[in-house]
Amino acid sequence: MKKVLSIVLLCVLIVLPLLVSCAPQKPIVGFFVYDENDTYMGELTAKVKAEVDSKVNLDIKYASRSQSVQNRQILDNLKQNTALIAVNLVDRLSASSIVEKCEQQKLPLVFFNREPLDGDMSSSRVYYVGANADNQGILQAEMLNNLFGEFVNTAYDKNGDGKIQTIIFKGEQGHQDAEKRTKSCLNELKNYGYSIDILGVTVADWSRNKAESAMQDYDKLFGESIELILCNNDDMALGAVDFLKGAGKLKEESASDFHQDYVIVGVDATEAGLKAVKDGYMYGTVLNDSLTQSKAIALLMQYLLQNKDLQNFPYTITNRNYIYIDGKIILKYDIK
Amino acid sequence: MNKRLFRSYPIGLIIVVSCLVVVTLLVLSIFTVSYTNFTKNTAEEVNFQTGELSTQIVYNYENYISSVIDLSNTIQVDINKYVFDASGAKDFTKYLSSIVHLNSDIMGIYLYDSATAECMASSSNESTLPADTTQGWYKSAIGDPTVHVFSILPYEDGDNNYKLVVSKAIDYGYTDFQAILKFEMSFSRFVSLVQKSNLGKNGHITIVDPSYNIVYTSLPTGDASIETEAIQKLILGTQTVFINGNNMSINVDTLTNTKWRICVFINVDMLIEIEQQFLLSLIFVSVIVLIVGTALFLYISRLITKPIKQLENAMQRIEHADYFKTEEVSIYASKEVESLAKSFNQMIFKIKDLMDRVVMEQGAQRESELKALQNQINPHFLYNTLDSITWLVQQGKNAQAEEMVVSLARLFRISISKGKQVITVKEELDHVRNYLVIQSIRYSDSFLYTISADENALACKTMKLILQPIVENCIYHGLKNKIDIGKIDICAKKEGEYIVFTIADNGYGMRQEKIDELIKSFEESNSSDGVGLKNIYQRVMLYCNKDASLTIESVLDEGTTITIKERIL
């Protein structure tokens, strides 16, 4: 009898710590980012992590711009009893596979920053959180309108032809945000009544270095005639700044007014971008509100993990499962 | 519990069974662990290898696709340099033809007005037909202007040839002007991307669209429905599936910049075979280990039980033997059994020792008894004889006195005979003769005596002093006070292995009852009655180990004959 009792006791002693260790653990959330070297995504990721760190176990993976790598990272993550998947896609066309896989595993799925095709968002537990790219383009146009005013016969119309000689740095060909930002901005500028002469469009992959070298080519081709450098993000704007600064064509400007030869605008309001605006290299940027986006992502994760009704979700949900965060114009005097 | 379980089975069986159980469990657990590890490792290895291989293939395709997209992007950028009026389209056409000329994969590039579907520019002047707006490539490109639409279409001129068509809605000058850019590409390049990789027998790639319709497969024949089912189940990732008689590792991945999914099928029959071989060799080794183990345990149990059996047999031999035999058990086996045998031997020798001592002690007791009995003879006779000598000397019968002294001396010499118990028949006869000489002088020749012996009996050994007490009895009880002259005949004969003494007198004789009483008293140890005869009887019996006899025959008033028969030792 004693023997039996001691064996039972022993078993309990062995099993108990195991039970305790498995007891209330933070749910694992797979968080997949398309590239580690993207400044904006780095900031967004850090903010999301800060928001949810106490509640979930955020497993962050960077895909080095390969959808194939990201697919494998997601598959590996699915093997670990993940509770939710959050994906910043490399290729927006690949969303359907991931949606299907998560549906098969009955996992909620949150896309962020790169919007999948509308047709792929069919599943009920799939959401998208991202910037309102159209809005960002409109805001870019708005701030340019504030600067240019009539444009014709102003200092900004350097060749006096009444047209805005523009070069465009596009983030990526096929990137929803890149296309939308460019298109809505140009459309809005047209709506304001400007006529635009596009000197060139460069797909610089959101990259500062690529933009810098492309700027060099444009400088050779068009030189002083470039009046507006329209960039889909701050990094590329900074690339253009880097070249022009290096070539001595852009100088720091401490005055509160903007008087540069080149009007450079970006989107995102990264730290480096804000500094460039403050120093007068860039005219302005649009806040791609990473803080609000991260808060929305974090909150959405918790709602989905707890199976809460999204009726009372504080951010506007459009089209059943899209959450767009509007931007904000940031000019020199907005920065303290 | 356990004690009861093991109690009634032989040691050998217990050893063999318990060791076999342990070894079997051990072999089984090793078997399971190594087999599961091996299969897990090979599965991981297969997944890894096929993953790597398919990653390479996917990478090739993605490179190809992105080169097409790069070209498209370049055209999209460059298109802004051209003016589309009646003459400008010509320049753009030249531009397109130069691209086609430089890039052998591209068979044609076309630009269609999205509003009218009219062909605005074409790399070749011949094909300037308007676009078929019902076709997928056109509709999809219009539907989502941000993506490049990839489709695989058959050639217009039939056959089994296909072409890769890439279409994209473009808007240049960011005006309302929209167009559809269309590339027609050679399919052979697309096919060649997979042909470089060795995917094994029936290994192939299949490209499916999001609805799992097969867009392209490099599998020449075979039922595709089974594999689309497998793809649909897998969605993404790697898995080994048995398809169309082959073990195939499937890797499904997305194809960047397209909505397609690429599925790489790699034949892994070989790895399955290796796994089976491993299983077989594992079984072989396990069986060998079990057989060797069984043999070893049988041997060990034999080694342990055999000496125990030997010991048991030795004990049984001793148990069943009629007389105690000191047989040394020599067993050369395990240390424990050897020491058990040693202990057993020691015990046997101890018993033997004890028995020897008992025998020796009994012998010593017999001897001391003998001595005590012999000593009963002497005192009266000595006094009487000395008295007689004194009387003879006083009477002046010196010759007779001398004779008597000499006889007495001889008598005692034989009596003592250096403490020996056994003397020759001759000496025994001499002894009784000397006695008779003394007695006949004392009783003034009132009786006659004869002593006769076989010549061959004289040298035989006999228990000493057995005749004299009988003769003494004859004289005192049989002849004393007898009116006519008494007669004593002593005779010694050898009869085979026995010496036979007969002492006959012609005295009063005895009744049969008296004889029976006497004989009966021989066996009683305590009675002091009839000391003489009983003394002789017991001594002779002791001396001859009971192989002797004493008989009394008597006829009243005629005489008594006493016969002693003793075995010659």
Side-chain angles (χ1 to χ4, degrees):
Chain A
M1 206 46 210
K2 260 186 184 171
K3 221 179 202 175
V4 172
L5 209 74
S6 63
I7 287 167
V8 168
L9 216 78
L10 199 72
C11 289
V12 168
L13 280 176
I14 290 166
V15 172
L16 208 66
L18 292 175
L19 287 175
V20 169
S21 70
C22 330
Q25 245 189 4
K26 292 192 280 184
I28 299 170
V29 169
F31 196 84
F32 304 94
V33 180
Y34 89 109
D35 188 27
E36 194 167 7
N37 299 319
D38 185 302
T39 319
Y40 176 74
M41 286 314 299
E43 282 176 19
L44 181 69
T45 306
K47 281 169 185 164
V48 172
K49 190 168 165 59
E51 285 286 327
V52 297
D53 224 13
S54 59
K55 292 149 202 150
V56 301
N57 193 351
L58 208 61
D59 186 9
I60 302 166
K61 291 273 156 49
Y62 298 95
S64 309
R65 293 172 189 247
S66 163
Q67 187 58 50
S68 195
V69 170
Q70 191 168 62
N71 290 344
R72 244 174 300 148
Q73 286 173 339
I74 292 170
L75 289 171
D76 286 345
N77 194 269
L78 288 175
K79 286 176 195 158
Q80 301 171 14
N81 211 10
T82 313
L84 188 146
I85 296 274
V87 189
N88 165 223
L89 287 165
V90 177
D91 174 30
R92 53 194 290 259
L93 298 181
S94 301
S96 64
S97 295
I98 297 161
V99 170
E100 276 181 56
K101 195 77 193 175
C102 285
E103 209 173 6
Q104 187 189 45
Q105 309 267 326
K106 300 193 167 58
L107 281 181
L109 175 62
V110 175
F111 288 114
F112 60 96
N113 195 256
R114 190 154 314 183
E115 191 177 329
L117 297 183
D118 200 20
D120 295 336
M121 296 281 282
S122 52
S123 173
S124 61
R125 298 234 289 170
V126 178
Y127 295 87
Y128 172 73
V129 179
N132 190 342
D134 282 333
N135 169 264
Q136 287 170 336
I138 288 165
L139 291 176
Q140 261 186 333
E142 192 184 319
M143 75 169 121
L144 287 171
N145 182 41
N146 291 342
L147 180 69
F148 292 152
E150 286 295 308
F151 188 72
V152 186
N153 298 325
T154 64
Y156 302 109
D157 185 12
K158 287 192 282 189
N159 59 0
D161 68 347
K163 288 180 182 171
I164 307 171
Q165 269 67 41
T166 306
I167 57 170
I168 297 169
F169 284 103
K170 251 166 99 172
E172 267 170 75
Q173 193 68 38
H175 191 294
Q176 184 82 335
D177 286 1
E179 303 283 355
K180 278 188 175 173
R181 280 175 195 171
T182 314
K183 203 163 179 184
S184 63
C185 180
L186 290 171
N187 279 337
E188 192 68 9
L189 283 173
K190 263 191 285 174
N191 290 344
Y192 282 122
Y194 298 110
S195 72
I196 296 146
D197 178 16
I198 295 171
L199 299 176
V201 178
T202 293
V203 176
D205 282 341
W206 309 108
S207 152
R208 190 167 176 164
N209 291 339
K210 279 189 183 172
E212 187 181 352
S213 64
M215 191 61 220
Q216 189 173 8
D217 298 339
Y218 282 127
D219 188 57
K220 265 184 217 151
L221 277 171
F222 307 112
E224 291 292 316
S225 60
I226 300 166
E227 289 165 355
L228 172 63
I229 301 168
L230 189 63
C231 304
N232 281 166
N233 77 337
D234 283 351
D235 271 6
M236 291 189 294
L238 287 167
V241 167
D242 285 344
F243 172 76
L244 292 171
K245 212 163 93 180
K249 296 185 176 185
L250 212 57
K251 288 192 176 63
E252 188 174 335
E253 200 181 52
S254 52
S256 60
D257 289 353
F258 184 82
H259 295 295
Q260 299 281 16
D261 280 348
Y262 300 94
V263 178
I264 306 171
V265 290
V267 178
D268 280 353
T270 61
E271 270 177 49
L274 289 173
K275 192 173 182 302
V277 172
K278 197 184 176 190
D279 293 344
Y281 293 119
M282 276 167 67
Y283 166 58
T285 185
V286 175
L287 178 67
N288 187 359
D289 196 349
S290 60
L291 186 66
T292 312
Q293 278 180 45
S294 63
K295 279 183 173 162
I297 293 167
L299 200 63
L300 181 62
M301 280 179 182
Q302 286 161 47
Y303 266 67
L304 292 173
L305 287 174
Q306 292 163 17
N307 255 326
K308 269 203 217 165
D309 191 357
L310 282 167
Q311 207 113 60
N312 304 320
F313 196 66
Y315 299 93
T316 320
I317 300 173
T318 42
N319 205 1
R320 201 182 57 81
N321 44 12
Y322 288 85
I323 295 155
Y324 291 118
I325 308 295
D326 281 347
K328 217 172 101 185
I329 295 172
I330 307 281
L331 297 176
K332 199 171 193 175
Y333 49 79
D334 293 316
I335 306 161
K336 275 130 208 169
Chain B
M1 273 284 280
N2 290 342
K3 276 179 206 157
R4 209 173 304 154
L5 192 70
F6 285 124
R7 198 162 52 188
S8 54
Y9 298 104
I11 298 176
L13 192 70
I14 291 168
I15 290 172
V16 170
V17 168
S18 49
C19 287
L20 268 184
V21 165
V22 169
V23 166
T24 311
L25 283 178
L26 207 69
V27 164
L28 270 181
S29 52
I30 289 171
F31 184 99
T32 327
V33 166
S34 52
Y35 186 66
T36 46
N37 263 344
F38 183 82
T39 48
K40 205 180 133 205
N41 286 346
T42 45
E44 269 171 17
E45 184 64 19
V46 168
N47 284 347
F48 179 74
Q49 294 227 343
T50 55
E52 286 297 300
L53 197 51
S54 60
T55 304
Q56 192 54 48
I57 291 168
V58 170
Y59 181 74
N60 287 343
Y61 274 97
E62 285 185 348
N63 262 356
Y64 179 66
I65 287 162
S66 74
S67 75
V68 175
I69 288 172
D70 281 348
L71 187 62
S72 156
N73 287 340
T74 311
I75 293 170
Q76 284 175 59
V77 172
D78 286 348
I79 202 167
N80 289 309
K81 295 173 191 161
Y82 297 94
V83 185
F84 282 84
D85 52 24
S87 62
K90 219 173 220 172
D91 287 343
F92 189 62
T93 303
K94 262 185 209 160
Y95 166 75
L96 293 182
S97 356
S98 69
I99 290 173
V100 173
H101 188 70
L102 286 171
N103 200 324
S104 58
D105 292 337
I106 301 172
M107 299 184 307
I109 306 173
Y110 309 88
L111 191 71
Y112 300 99
D113 189 305
S114 61
T116 59
E118 289 296 324
C119 182
M120 294 160 66
S122 159
S123 56
S124 67
N125 288 321
E126 290 97 62
S127 47
T128 50
L129 294 166
D132 183 352
T133 52
T134 58
Q135 291 227 339
W137 64 266
Y138 189 87
K139 283 204 287 189
S140 300
I142 291 280
D144 192 337
T146 58
V147 296
H148 285 83
V149 178
F150 284 77
S151 24
I152 290 171
L153 295 174
Y155 266 115
E156 277 83 5
D157 53 4
D159 285 340
N160 277 333
N161 284 326
Y162 288 84
K163 60 186 174 187
L164 180 67
V165 174
V166 184
S167 53
K168 168 83 165 76
I170 60 169
D171 34 15
Y172 59 96
Y174 292 95
T175 59
D176 290 333
F177 185 76
Q178 273 210 335
I180 305 293
L181 187 67
K182 177 187 171 199
F183 295 78
E184 285 188 1
M185 321 231 358
S186 146
F187 200 62
S188 61
R189 172 76 193 284
F190 201 74
V191 173
S192 74
L193 287 173
V194 69
Q195 282 168 344
K196 281 178 230 156
S197 313
N198 179 20
L199 304 177
K201 191 185 163 224
N202 285 338
H204 64 282
I205 68 150
T206 297
I207 294 174
V208 296
D209 68 12
S211 323
Y212 298 99
N213 300 313
I214 291 176
V215 173
Y216 164 70
T217 177
S218 66
L219 182 72
T221 51
D223 186 7
S225 66
I226 301 165
E227 65 178 51
T228 35
E229 212 171 276
I231 295 163
Q232 212 160 344
K233 222 165 130 190
L234 185 58
I235 303 171
L236 260 187
T238 308
Q239 198 176 37
T240 303
V241 179
F242 191 75
I243 295 176
N244 295 334
N246 294 103
N247 289 291
M248 287 287 185
S249 172
I250 314 177
N251 190 81
V252 183
D253 209 340
T254 56
L255 210 46
T256 305
N257 290 318
T258 71
K259 289 183 171 186
W260 292 342
R261 293 171 203 179
I262 182 163
C263 318
V264 183
F265 291 78
I266 300 169
N267 190 318
V268 290
D269 277 342
M270 188 108 103
L271 280 147
I272 303 286
E273 214 167 277
I274 287 169
E275 214 170 277
Q276 281 168 348
Q277 270 172 5
F278 181 75
L279 181 68
L280 275 180
S281 53
L282 210 60
I283 289 171
F284 181 71
V285 168
S286 302
V287 166
I288 292 230
V289 165
L290 279 179
I291 288 171
V292 169
T294 312
L296 193 69
F297 296 135
L298 278 174
Y299 175 71
I300 288 172
S301 82
R302 199 60 63 75
L303 212 65
I304 291 169
T305 53
K306 199 181 163 193
I308 292 176
K309 199 92 191 166
Q310 281 178 341
L311 199 62
E312 191 193 336
N313 286 342
M315 285 176 179
Q316 266 173 359
R317 273 203 300 279
I318 288 164
E319 206 176 296
H320 294 304
D322 290 333
Y323 51 94
F324 191 78
K325 186 167 73 171
T326 54
E327 178 189 33
E328 192 168 337
V329 182
S330 51
I331 291 163
Y332 301 101
S334 57
K335 207 174 164 188
E336 289 80 1
V337 179
E338 262 181 34
S339 83
L340 190 65
K342 213 167 116 189
S343 299
F344 178 72
N345 284 339
Q346 275 172 355
M347 186 187 79
I348 292 292
F349 282 107
K350 196 108 188 173
I351 289 170
K352 161 99 168 110
D353 199 36
L354 284 170
M355 287 180 79
D356 281 351
R357 210 185 302 167
V358 168
V359 169
M360 215 170 73
E361 276 170 7
Q362 277 185 349
Q365 195 186 350
R366 191 173 59 182
E367 211 164 297
S368 66
E369 277 173 12
L370 272 174
K371 279 201 175 127
L373 292 169
Q374 280 163 7
N375 290 343
Q376 287 179 2
I377 305 167
N378 300 321
H380 288 293
F381 171 69
L382 187 58
Y383 301 144
N384 293 339
T385 311
L386 285 176
D387 276 346
S388 300
I389 291 167
T390 310
W391 184 77
L392 284 172
V393 171
Q394 280 169 356
Q395 294 295 311
K397 296 178 179 172
N398 287 338
Q400 274 184 310
E402 187 198 348
E403 195 184 354
M404 209 161 179
V405 170
V406 169
S407 291
L408 188 66
R410 280 184 185 153
L411 182 93
F412 275 105
R413 184 169 294 134
I414 293 166
S415 272
I416 293 159
S417 47
K418 297 172 189 166
K420 284 191 286 186
Q421 298 294 319
V422 178
I423 52 174
T424 58
V425 172
K426 184 175 180 293
E427 281 171 318
E428 179 66 13
L429 292 176
D430 280 346
H431 180 260
V432 81
R433 185 177 292 117
N434 286 319
Y435 177 77
L436 283 166
V437 168
I438 292 165
Q439 292 293 50
S440 60
I441 292 170
R442 269 187 67 199
Y443 292 104
S444 322
D445 298 317
S446 60
F447 59 89
L448 294 172
Y449 63 90
T450 61
I451 295 173
S452 63
D454 288 352
E455 202 58 38
N456 59 356
L458 285 177
C460 294
K461 298 277 182 186
T462 175
M463 184 75 214
K464 74 175 182 184
L465 310 187
I466 50 173
L467 299 178
Q468 180 266 334
I470 296 170
V471 171
E472 190 179 336
N473 273 346
C474 294
I475 293 168
Y476 286 111
H477 303 295
L479 306 176
K480 215 165 123 184
N481 309 324
K482 197 170 158 54
I483 298 118
D484 45 317
I485 203 130
K487 205 168 182 284
I488 298 171
D489 296 314
I490 297 165
C491 178
K493 275 190 286 192
K494 192 179 174 203
E495 290 181 3
E497 291 297 297
Y498 297 90
I499 284 286
V500 181
F501 294 102
T502 44
I503 301 104
D505 66 43
N506 59 346
Y508 306 117
M510 283 185 284
R511 283 191 305 278
Q512 190 58 41
E513 297 88 69
K514 178 74 181 167
I515 292 168
D516 291 344
E517 203 179 305
L518 265 174
I519 298 287
K520 205 178 140 198
S521 79
F522 289 170
E523 303 298 334
E524 288 164 11
S525 54
N526 56 348
S527 131
S528 55
D529 209 32
V531 166
L533 267 182
K534 184 178 170 186
N535 180 321
I536 289 157
Y537 176 76
Q538 287 183 343
R539 276 165 55 210
V540 167
M541 290 305 262
L542 270 176
Y543 168 63
C544 296
N545 256 336
K546 307 209 167 187
D547 198 3
S549 63
L550 190 152
T551 50
I552 303 168
E553 288 163 49
S554 187
V555 180
L556 274 174
D557 294 326
E558 275 186 21
T560 307
T561 305
I562 292 173
T563 312
I564 298 170
K565 188 177 179 185
E566 57 175 5
R567 191 181 171 88
I568 301 166
L569 290 176

